[in-house]
Amino acid sequence: MLNATLSELSAALAEKRISSVELARLFLGRIERLNAELNAFITVDASLALAQAHRADRDRAAGKAGPLTGIPLAHKDIFCTKGLRTTCGSRMLENFVSPYDAHVIERFEAAGSVLLGKTNMDEFAMGSSNETSYFGPVRNPWDRTLVPGGSSGGTAVAVAARMAPAGTGTDTGGSIRQPAALTGICGLKPTYGVVSRYGMIAFASSLDQGGPMAKCAQDLALLMNAMAGFDARDSTSLERPQEDYGRELGRSLAGLRIGLPNEYAGEGIEPGVRRAVDEAVRWFEAQGAKTVPVELPNTALAVPVYYVLAPAEASSNLSRFDGVRYGHRAKDYADLAEMYSRTRAEGFGAEVKRRILVGTYVLSHGYYDAYYLQAQKLRRLIAQDFAAAFRSCDVILGPTTPTTAFPIGAKIDDPVQMYLNDIFTIPAPLAGLPGLSIPCGFDDKGLPVGLQLTGGYFSEAQLLGIAHRYQQATDWHLRVPTEAPL
Amino acid sequence: MSLSPDQIERLARLARIALGPGEEVAVVGRLNRVLGLIDQMRAVDTTGIEPMSHPVDVVQRQRPDCVTETDQHELFQAAAPAVEAGLYLVPRVLE
Amino acid sequence: MSWEIVVGIETHAQLRTQSKIFSGAATAFGAAPNSQACAVDIALPGVLPVLNRAAVEHAVRFGLTIGATLSRRSVFARKNYFYPDLPKGYQISQYELPIVQGGSLTIHANGASKTIRVTRAHLEEDAGKSLHEDFHGMSGIDLNRAGTALLEIVTEPDLRGAKEAVAYARALHALVTWIEICDGNMQEGSFRCDANVSVRRAADQPLGTRCEIKNLNSFRFMERAIEYEAQRQIGLLEGGGTVIQETRLYDPERDETRPMRTKEDAQDYRYFPDPDLLPLVLSESEIESIRATLPELPEARRARFIAAYRLSEYDAAALTASKATADYFERTVAGIGGKQGAAQEHAKLATNWVTVDLAAKLNSDDLAIELSPVAPERLAKLLSRILDQTLSNKMAKEVFDAMWAGEGEPDAIIDRKGLRQISDAAAIEKLVDEVLAANARQVEDYRAGKQKAFNSLVGQVMKATGGRANPAQVNELLRRKLG
């Protein structure tokens, strides 16, 4: 059961081979065994999970069961949950209990799923290694000395180590796809506006997007069916008819045009990553897909553009954490100014402070045009590159990350090296496009490699269909991490 | 472009983040590496390009003018560091 | 040497909406602290703003009214600064692309009309309030007002002196209440002005350094504050000093302005487009449908009053000081009804009553005309009794007092008080004959040229009827009889 997909679990529940309560206990037990070492969860409330599981069992008995009824899930601790603390990986919110539920949480509750716990993350989603969490680093179950990626590293590890069958993450510059790649699971960043941001603590509002993380593409589709959809409380939520994200799971790959950007094949990509990705591309060709070279000439600018725009928005988004209405407040201060500056100095970690300072700088008088406005213009060029590329291809394929998982501590003192790990995941959110990472093999060290599929706007179902075909023929996604055996 | 400790201090003041003694020197090195990275984009000619604020080209939705919220201040203030008589308390605000 | 005083005004008009500009919390004044501050208003983590349609419509109404350019696409920006009454650490406002650009307002001051150019008007949210009474050395924060919709209306420096500035503020106040986008309640802070004041030697010289005066919550304070500030600047300059650009507060107790406590840093608001809000787009059809709901505007109504009712400029201005006054007046005229072609006569009578008698009562009871205990329809009935000679003007005032006191319909009061005027010619003649017979001495005096004696005779007749005789008829009869 621990290794089962959501559809398999759903079937087992429907056929009464297991109850929701038993299933919840199974995963809670696994969490209890592994979490102390892996640190994937910040908060686990077994009694709450079991209460929800009981309700799911009752609903099922009453004939009111959907595909996710009774399915336990792990939610990133960036989604506000009423009555269960929401920390966002920060000391600032160490004891914050939200008085309301995020839209995504409401959706999953309505679907009958069970909340196993809240997962660890880089503080305020700022990081690519899960080392910036106030609650300590998350460890990669393929090698516990390595990072799992970030910022949604907690959910990635929870799923990879089979502490939860699936969960949620958020992606601003790669925070779903990169940890999915580094832990050997699947993660989808939807088109901007498809999943409501209401109740998802903001990092960079014009980039943030919640999405599912699971073992296979089919599971991602099931989760998307629950979490995507219009929400009037988010002005950027798109009013579109409800989709079935599983509708293309049976599609053929014949005639599929796969774009291969030169820019995604440059130096800096580890040989093991390159080999696994090339092999996947050859598999697609063998299924009748055509590969076409495409150009994304502004790719190199994406990282600098992102590190202007995201900190700028973050510097403003994080101003509300001032110690007045909730969250941390410093103990000692002489006056109001000192209360603010000490509260924020104590409540935020080094990376968050660094990004606030960068963001403050690029928006400040005299620098706005040179940095912020320039970055917004380049953002358009990057989006236009994609639009041009999608005229000759249906999907863009490449590595999710240039390297596999790296050691804890290796990059934490060098922010720029850390940022460059996101070079392939940053462009899609700048353009607002959906991106999917799926496992496509292992490097020489036995570490998982992620294959990234980027599609046009609202192409999630198509991306999931393509990935599903691949996963019917390969078993990379079913491999259990060596340091978290079943 | 690299920032001096003085400039860092000014930014920290604007952002209301206290830097400990000598901390701006430690911050300055890492911050300047980040600025070095983002400076790469400054040289690109972007004449005539419309800035992009939002990834999707849609317009602001408007909601009807209806009161939908009820008084929940007790629930909300349960999370507040200091409250009295329904008010949030802060160190003396001077005009 | 004379100085020219140059003023520009920034007004924050709270828009009349049920809910806040970006949340569904109520906006009623005077609620218990923080009881109208919802999750969005207190900026809980994860909450997001959604724009209130009514706020947009109000801004469009204003723009149409002043002949402004309405931006077909406007943008909300964040103005970043820390203050405990600003929960998000930024105010959502409009910066580079405001919804209303340009336009103008006509004011009437110092016996002349003048056009004041409006630079822009933009939508923004209000902040909360800091209560400074002592909570063990702390301040209390009430966020009920946070997120209330504001329209900030900014003029060019077109105003010359305190009187013009006040005339503008009054005209703007009349306008925003007229088009019903703001309740205009200055005590509650619904209409707040800041004045930018500078002085210069001559009109062709460049503008002097300006100071912004905040906290002008009445027209009277505005006039005094501008006068004080201009004199302060003139004094400085004439003494060889210079004016420093700064923000000052007006202290009505001491009748002076003084600098606001300077902040440590020069403000750097780091404006940027709010990524949580999308561009606000106005379509032609939306604009036209809002235009169709606009009432007749003050300037047009004033012109119509002059043309249709032959009112003087002065009376027309007084009657169009507010929409409620103009409506009251027209309802009174309409209520009088009666014969065709008499509209001007009716209007003249209604004008006198509305601008003199009613105004005096409203003033002494400190009531707005909308709250007058005498409805225009009732006043019209009273005026009809003057026109049909049932009442003299003097008697009408007595009836009016009774109506004001809540004694009911004028006809019932007239009957109850026996105030019906005696206009029966035979009855009056009989009385006059009696008075003449009984007062031979005054008759003689009159004939000897003493005008006072005539007045005494009129008085005797009136006295005999308890003041009910028609004075015009009494006069006429007496003159005839006395030859």
Side-chain angles (χ1 to χ4, degrees):
Chain A
M1 283 293 170
L2 284 173
N3 204 28
T5 64
L6 296 188
S7 333
E8 288 163 354
L9 290 177
S10 203
L13 286 164
E15 293 158 15
K16 308 263 190 306
R17 281 184 278 131
I18 195 166
S19 72
S20 306
V21 170
E22 286 163 342
L23 198 56
R25 286 217 169 93
L26 185 68
F27 283 102
L28 287 167
R30 177 97 175 152
I31 292 169
E32 206 172 297
R33 267 203 313 287
L34 294 178
N35 197 50
E37 181 60 25
L38 297 175
N39 201 23
F41 286 87
I42 292 174
T43 306
V44 177
D45 184 340
S47 59
L48 179 76
L50 291 171
Q52 291 186 350
H54 272 295
R55 196 195 59 188
D57 282 332
R58 279 198 304 276
D59 284 351
R60 188 173 295 280
K64 293 183 292 184
L68 293 179
T69 301
I71 300 283
L73 296 175
H75 292 301
K76 186 176 183 178
D77 206 15
I78 198 168
F79 291 103
C80 286
T81 46
K82 190 172 179 169
L84 186 65
R85 80 174 169 155
T86 301
T87 71
C88 220
S90 181
R91 182 182 182 197
M92 188 62 89
L93 295 176
E94 186 176 3
N95 299 307
F96 176 69
V97 178
S98 169
Y100 77 103
D101 277 327
H103 180 78
V104 163
I105 299 294
E106 285 176 352
R107 286 293 195 110
F108 279 119
E109 191 169 325
S113 77
V114 171
L115 170 56
L116 281 175
K118 306 289 291 291
T119 59
N120 206 341
M121 54 183 286
D122 280 298
E123 184 179 10
F124 284 104
M126 298 180 194
S128 311
S129 67
N130 232 299
E131 292 166 284
T132 73
S133 170
Y134 174 66
F135 300 90
V138 181
R139 292 174 181 276
N140 194 319
W142 294 94
D143 176 344
R144 294 182 183 187
T145 66
L146 306 183
V147 305
S151 64
S152 311
T155 299
V157 169
V159 175
R162 285 21 181 193
M163 296 151 86
T168 54
T170 61
D171 191 314
T172 305
S175 281
I176 287 176
R177 293 159 291 154
Q178 187 253 17
L182 268 45
T183 58
I185 66 156
C186 302
L188 173 70
K189 183 210 96 77
T191 304
Y192 184 84
V194 162
V195 171
S196 168
R197 294 185 298 114
Y198 190 81
M200 194 177 103
I201 299 177
F203 160 19
S205 313
S206 78
L207 297 156
D208 295 344
Q209 190 63 199
M213 302 175 84
K215 288 188 288 293
C216 64
Q218 196 173 12
D219 287 358
L220 294 179
L222 271 177
L223 295 170
M224 277 298 284
N225 282 347
M227 72 193 289
F230 174 65
D231 177 11
R233 296 168 301 183
D234 174 0
S235 292
T236 62
S237 172
L238 299 169
E239 279 183 278
R240 307 179 70 250
Q242 198 70 37
E243 277 188 50
D244 173 11
Y245 289 92
R247 68 184 184 275
E248 298 203 34
L249 291 179
R251 66 171 283 145
S252 157
L253 297 174
L256 179 74
R257 298 171 303 161
I258 293 176
L260 299 175
N262 288 329
E263 294 77 9
Y264 286 14
E267 62 223 65
I269 303 175
E270 286 180 348
V273 171
R274 191 187 300 262
R275 199 173 54 240
V277 170
D278 287 350
E279 212 168 288
V281 169
R282 276 196 297 281
W283 181 88
F284 280 106
E285 283 175 328
Q287 310 306 306
K290 278 203 318 261
T291 54
V292 289
V294 293
E295 284 183 10
L296 298 171
N298 292 295
T299 297
L301 292 171
V303 173
V305 164
Y306 176 85
Y307 279 98
V308 170
L309 297 179
E313 293 183 13
S315 71
S316 176
N317 282 335
L318 269 59
S319 292
R320 69 188 56 198
F321 301 103
D322 58 4
V324 175
R325 299 163 314 285
Y326 48 77
H328 179 73
R329 177 188 281 197
K331 290 269 177 297
D332 298 311
Y333 44 82
D335 57 16
L336 181 66
E338 218 173 86
M339 187 205 83
Y340 279 147
S341 61
R342 291 207 178 160
T343 293
R344 291 164 60 78
E346 294 170 8
F348 294 139
E351 179 64 21
V352 170
K353 286 188 228 180
R354 190 151 50 228
R355 294 203 197 184
I356 290 175
L357 292 177
V358 169
T360 302
Y361 174 63
V362 299
L363 290 175
S364 65
H365 187 71
Y367 299 100
Y368 179 85
D369 287 3
Y371 286 106
Y372 189 76
L373 206 62
Q374 171 78 349
Q376 279 196 325
K377 291 175 178 176
L378 291 170
R379 181 177 191 178
R380 188 167 299 281
L381 288 185
I382 290 161
Q384 285 170 352
D385 282 356
F386 276 111
F390 285 124
R391 281 196 279 276
S392 60
C393 69
D394 304 309
V395 60
I396 291 170
L397 236 63
T400 307
T401 56
T403 70
T404 53
F406 46 89
I408 291 173
K411 298 184 181 184
I412 195 69
D413 291 325
D414 187 346
V416 171
Q417 276 312 303
M418 186 74 88
Y419 296 172
L420 289 172
N421 200 251
D422 294 336
I423 183 152
F424 302 134
T425 51
I426 279 177
L430 285 173
L433 295 168
L436 170 63
S437 179
I438 57 172
C440 69
F442 292 84
D443 70 359
D444 294 339
K445 292 171 277 184
L447 298 174
V449 174
L451 176 72
Q452 179 170 241
L453 296 80
T454 305
Y457 297 106
F458 313 114
S459 66
E460 289 84 353
Q462 186 193 14
L463 296 180
L464 293 170
I466 296 166
H468 182 62
R469 288 309 287 251
Y470 178 75
Q471 292 182 331
Q472 285 177 311
T474 58
D475 69 348
W476 308 118
H477 62 290
L478 297 176
R479 306 283 182 93
V480 176
T482 43
E483 298 195 4
L486 291 175
Chain B
M1 181 84 205
S2 74
L3 296 177
S4 65
D6 274 0
Q7 283 173 297
I8 303 275
E9 214 184 292
R10 182 179 170 273
L11 289 176
R13 225 172 26 244
L14 262 180
R16 299 294 187 279
I17 293 174
L19 295 177
E23 203 183 335
E24 67 270 22
V25 184
V27 169
V28 105
R30 290 187 186 185
L31 214 52
N32 279 332
R33 297 207 53 187
V34 176
L35 293 179
L37 170 77
I38 66 181
D39 271 341
Q40 290 171 21
M41 52 139 235
R42 290 184 66 184
V44 183
D45 182 8
T46 51
T47 317
I49 295 166
E50 186 71 13
M52 181 169 162
S53 293
H54 291 282
V56 279
D57 191 21
V58 281
V59 303
Q60 180 59 39
R61 200 166 357 96
Q62 295 169 41
R63 61 176 177 81
D65 180 23
C66 298
V67 175
T68 54
E69 302 301 314
T70 53
D71 177 9
Q72 295 192 80
H73 78 277
E74 282 177 14
L75 173 66
F76 294 158
Q77 292 186 341
V83 171
E84 192 174 310
L87 299 162
Y88 295 98
L89 295 192
V90 297
R92 206 66 194 253
V93 177
L94 296 174
E95 295 238 314
Chain C
M1 189 174 293
S2 75
W3 291 81
E4 184 178 61
I5 299 163
V6 178
V7 185
I9 304 278
E10 290 172 19
T11 306
H12 288 92
Q14 264 182 17
L15 296 176
R16 271 176 54 168
T17 57
Q18 296 301 307
S19 62
K20 294 186 180 174
I21 183 167
F22 296 117
S23 83
T27 55
F29 183 82
N34 289 305
S35 63
Q36 290 177 169
C38 73
V40 172
D41 304 323
I42 68 168
L44 283 178
V47 297
L48 295 167
V50 184
L51 181 61
N52 183 339
R53 180 188 305 279
V56 176
E57 287 171 355
H58 287 350
V60 171
R61 276 169 88 80
F62 179 73
L64 289 170
T65 302
I66 63 161
T69 302
L70 290 166
S71 304
R72 296 307 190 262
R73 188 181 177 89
S74 64
V75 169
F76 288 98
R78 293 184 182 178
K79 179 182 183 178
N80 293 283
Y81 65 96
F82 286 89
Y83 207 73
D85 66 12
L86 189 72
K88 294 187 293 296
Y90 58 84
Q91 177 194 30
I92 304 176
S93 182
Q94 295 192 302
Y95 184 55
E96 281 185 342
L97 282 173
I99 185 164
V100 173
Q101 301 186 60
S104 64
L105 225 76
T106 301
I107 63 166
H108 305 272
N110 309 322
S113 299
K114 184 170 173 179
T115 298
I116 307 303
R117 291 170 299 160
V118 170
T119 315
R120 57 184 280 159
H122 64 255
L123 285 166
E124 63 182 27
E125 57 180 343
D126 210 340
K129 282 180 183 166
S130 306
L131 304 174
H132 302 295
E133 57 255 43
D134 199 9
F135 293 96
H136 345 285
M138 311 275 273
S139 290
I141 306 296
D142 177 7
L143 298 174
N144 278 349
R145 200 180 65 178
T148 302
L150 296 178
L151 189 66
E152 179 173 340
I153 303 155
V154 182
T155 73
E156 294 290 312
D158 282 354
L159 298 156
R160 299 291 172 265
K163 290 230 169 355
E164 266 189 27
V166 170
Y168 162 78
R170 283 186 187 279
L172 180 65
H173 184 269
L175 188 65
V176 295
T177 52
W178 189 286
I179 60 174
E180 294 173 335
I181 63 168
C182 173
D183 70 17
N185 191 323
M186 295 178 84
Q187 278 89 46
E188 292 177 4
S190 301
F191 186 89
R192 319 194 287 267
C193 295
D194 302 335
N196 283 296
V197 180
S198 65
V199 298
R200 60 180 170 185
R201 292 271 186 188
D204 58 357
Q205 293 208 338
L207 292 174
T209 304
R210 66 190 152 86
C211 288
E212 184 180 9
I213 319 173
K214 291 204 176 279
N215 202 24
L216 302 174
N217 54 13
S218 82
F219 298 126
R220 196 161 53 96
F221 290 165
M222 173 185 273
E223 185 166 347
R224 281 162 50 182
I226 294 171
E227 265 163 12
Y228 172 87
E229 177 59 19
Q231 289 314 312
R232 186 188 71 87
Q233 293 183 15
I234 290 167
L236 268 177
L237 295 171
E238 288 185 341
T242 51
V243 175
I244 305 162
Q245 184 169 340
E246 63 187 355
T247 303
R248 301 176 70 87
L249 276 179
Y250 177 66
D251 179 348
E253 308 256 309
R254 299 160 78 173
D255 189 24
E256 62 176 30
T257 68
R258 56 169 183 269
M260 281 178 76
R261 214 169 65 100
T262 45
K263 307 245 161 72
E264 278 174 58
D265 291 290
Q267 283 293 6
D268 185 345
Y269 291 123
R270 289 158 286 138
Y271 282 100
F272 75 107
D274 190 331
D276 287 331
L277 291 160
L278 299 161
L280 171 59
V281 169
L282 296 177
S283 69
E284 298 309 313
S285 65
E286 280 172 283
I287 293 171
E288 287 318 308
S289 69
I290 294 167
R291 193 195 301 277
T293 68
L294 277 179
E296 185 185 20
L297 297 175
E299 282 299 310
R301 201 158 187 187
R302 174 192 178 93
R304 180 167 65 77
F305 280 9
I306 291 168
Y309 301 124
R310 302 287 156 122
L311 298 189
S312 67
E313 285 273 355
Y314 182 88
D315 286 340
L319 288 171
T320 54
S322 75
K323 181 161 178 292
T325 307
D327 287 346
Y328 192 104
F329 166 73
E330 290 214 288
R331 277 166 65 187
T332 305
V333 174
I336 295 171
K339 52 188 191 285
Q340 287 280 316
Q344 282 164 26
E345 186 194 346
H346 297 174
K348 191 167 164 38
L349 186 64
T351 300
N352 289 338
W353 276 80
V354 172
T355 61
V356 181
D357 304 278
L358 178 71
K361 285 277 188 207
L362 292 170
N363 194 37
S364 71
D365 287 12
D366 196 19
L367 279 179
I369 196 164
E370 302 89 304
L371 302 175
S372 165
V374 176
E377 288 70 22
R378 279 201 178 162
L379 178 63
K381 279 186 191 159
L382 176 67
L383 302 192
S384 302
R385 293 294 163 265
I386 297 173
L387 289 165
D388 69 12
Q389 308 212 328
T390 305
L391 295 176
S392 66
N393 242 314
K394 188 153 171 275
M395 292 156 81
K397 287 189 208 312
E398 197 182 332
V399 176
F400 183 68
D401 284 347
M403 289 161 69
W404 190 268
E407 291 177 26
E409 290 286 342
D411 283 344
I413 296 169
I414 291 166
D415 287 343
R416 201 160 57 241
K417 291 189 181 274
L419 281 174
R420 212 162 283 277
Q421 178 170 256
I422 299 166
S423 299
D424 175 351
I428 293 176
E429 185 164 5
K430 185 164 166 271
L431 274 167
V432 167
D433 288 344
E434 283 168 20
V435 167
L436 288 178
N439 292 281
R441 175 92 183 275
Q442 272 92 339
V443 172
E444 256 176 57
D445 285 354
Y446 175 72
R447 290 203 167 118
K450 287 190 183 159
Q451 184 57 37
K452 262 171 116 181
F454 183 79
N455 294 342
S456 167
L457 291 168
V458 172
Q460 298 275 354
V461 179
M462 295 306 287
K463 194 176 165 192
T465 60
R468 288 158 60 221
N470 182 325
Q473 276 176 293
V474 173
N475 266 286
E476 196 205 313
L477 260 173
L478 269 173
R479 280 192 204 287
R480 203 171 56 195
K481 300 245 172 198
L482 292 167

